[in-house]
Amino acid sequence: MELDLSTLKSAIAQAEPGLTRLESRISAYLLARPDAILLETSAETARKLNISPMTVTRFYRKLGFDSAAEVRAEVRRHAFGPESRRMDLRFASVTEMRGTAKADDDRAFSRATVDAAYALRETSAWGKIVDLVAQADSVHAVGFQTMHFLADGLCRRLTYLRDRVHILDGIDGVYAELLPAPNERMTLIMIDTFRYGAHGPLLAQMARERGVDVVIFADEFCDWATGLTPHVLRYPAETRFVLPLPQGITLGLTLLLQDVSTALGESARERIAKLSDAQDHFGLFLD
């Protein structure tokens, strides 16, 4: 089989219906970061995803290969060939960075995370998500575990652009706020990273059954969202940092606010002006 990164992604997508839960975790990871096949051994991929190397081997066999090594060799042949010299230089530089100072590694990873966020912004899926947030009658957001602060921050800022924005906290245990009125267009934004909140899949499924559009911001390990909603944005998992404030997802949410503002146009400008007047009235700032 002639295999480059593009056809590898197509092969993975075609195999998706027949994958097990753990194999779907590999699928989600490689679809979000297909260059990992060039840079990681099966053992490294397995360790990152908290699965066994044999699971990785079975995954590649379902794609029609004897081993991960066979896939890697074929992809490298294309990536490092004479027609792909720029890719050759890019991947060679990533490999060489492993032997340099840790600060250089961190800096390079941060840049890659930013690049990934901007790349997602250029996809057709992004435009649909912007429309769902801008045009819905109401928008709700929830962040599980340590990601609650992102959902709360998103809602506070989105309120400056449009009305009927609500943070979900799940304190009541049933998410009672997520009951759309007849003909109400409701969008739910979910934010989570590994290890994922147990309520995530249950809430997404319940929301879809109630006719709510679900948008998920997650890291690249997120496999549970597949099949629950087409609106999933996966960002590089920042596992090299200790307790990171996720750069990729944070930038993605910032870009979402920017593009929703553009989509709303004059109505957003007028709303911001009114809220600015209210800030002045109550004297909220020193200057």
Side-chain angles (χ1 to χ4, degrees), residues 259-272:
D259 292 348
V260 168
S261 172
T262 300
L264 291 173
E266 184 64 17
S267 67
R269 190 197 66 77
E270 291 177 355
R271 185 173 176 84
I272 289 175

Side-chain angles (χ1 to χ4, degrees), residues 129 131-133 136-141 178 185-189 212-215:
I129 289 169
D131 287 342
L132 289 177
V133 177
D137 296 319
S138 64
V139 177
H140 297 255
L178 213 63
R185 296 173 301 169
M186 182 182 290
T187 295
L188 170 64
I189 300 173
V212 177
D213 290 303
V214 176
V215 176

Side-chain angles (χ1 to χ4, degrees), residues 6-188:
S6 177
T7 54
L8 173 63
K9 292 178 72 172
S10 296
I12 293 172
Q14 290 175 4
E16 186 71 46
L19 299 180
T20 65
R21 182 177 62 84
L22 293 181
E23 289 165 351
S24 292
R25 186 178 298 176
I26 305 170
S27 170
Y29 176 58
L30 291 181
L31 286 174
R33 192 189 287 181
D35 57 323
I37 187 61
L38 289 164
L39 304 174
E40 298 176 0
T41 66
S42 294
E44 289 173 325
T45 300
R47 185 172 61 253
K48 280 189 174 182
L49 300 179
N50 195 29
I51 59 178
S52 71
M54 183 55 68
T55 301
V56 179
T57 299
R58 286 197 298 267
F59 171 81
Y60 284 118
R61 285 176 179 168
K62 285 190 176 181
L63 297 186
F65 298 93
D66 291 334
S67 66
E70 180 185 356
V71 180
R72 187 176 300 109
E74 182 63 18
V75 173
R76 278 179 174 169
R77 187 175 71 81
H78 283 269
F80 297 152
E83 292 148 14
S84 304
R85 187 60 184 164
R86 291 182 62 189
M87 188 177 290
D88 175 16
L89 294 174
R90 184 168 74 240
F91 287 120
S93 67
V94 172
T95 303
E96 290 167 1
M97 269 192 283
R98 293 180 177 177
T100 63
K102 184 177 184 296
D104 290 339
D105 291 346
D106 292 345
R107 188 178 298 110
F109 182 82
S110 294
R111 288 171 178 163
T113 300
V114 169
D115 288 344
Y118 276 102
L120 281 172
R121 192 190 196 188
E122 298 302 317
T123 63
S124 59
W126 179 267
K128 295 176 182 177
I129 289 169
V130 170
D131 287 342
L132 289 177
V133 177
Q135 304 304 325
D137 296 319
S138 64
V139 177
H140 297 255
V142 61
F144 297 103
Q145 275 65 252
T146 56
M147 294 301 104
H148 176 78
F149 84 100
L150 280 179
D152 182 66
L154 173 67
C155 286
R156 290 178 185 273
R157 288 161 176 79
L158 189 57
T159 296
Y160 277 80
L161 302 177
R162 54 156 298 152
D163 60 1
R164 300 188 66 189
V165 177
H166 311 281
I167 181 74
L168 290 181
D169 55 30
I171 290 177
D172 62 3
V174 295
Y175 299 93
E177 308 98 309
L178 213 63
L179 288 169
N183 300 317
E184 179 183 8
R185 296 173 301 169
M186 182 182 290
T187 295
L188 170 64

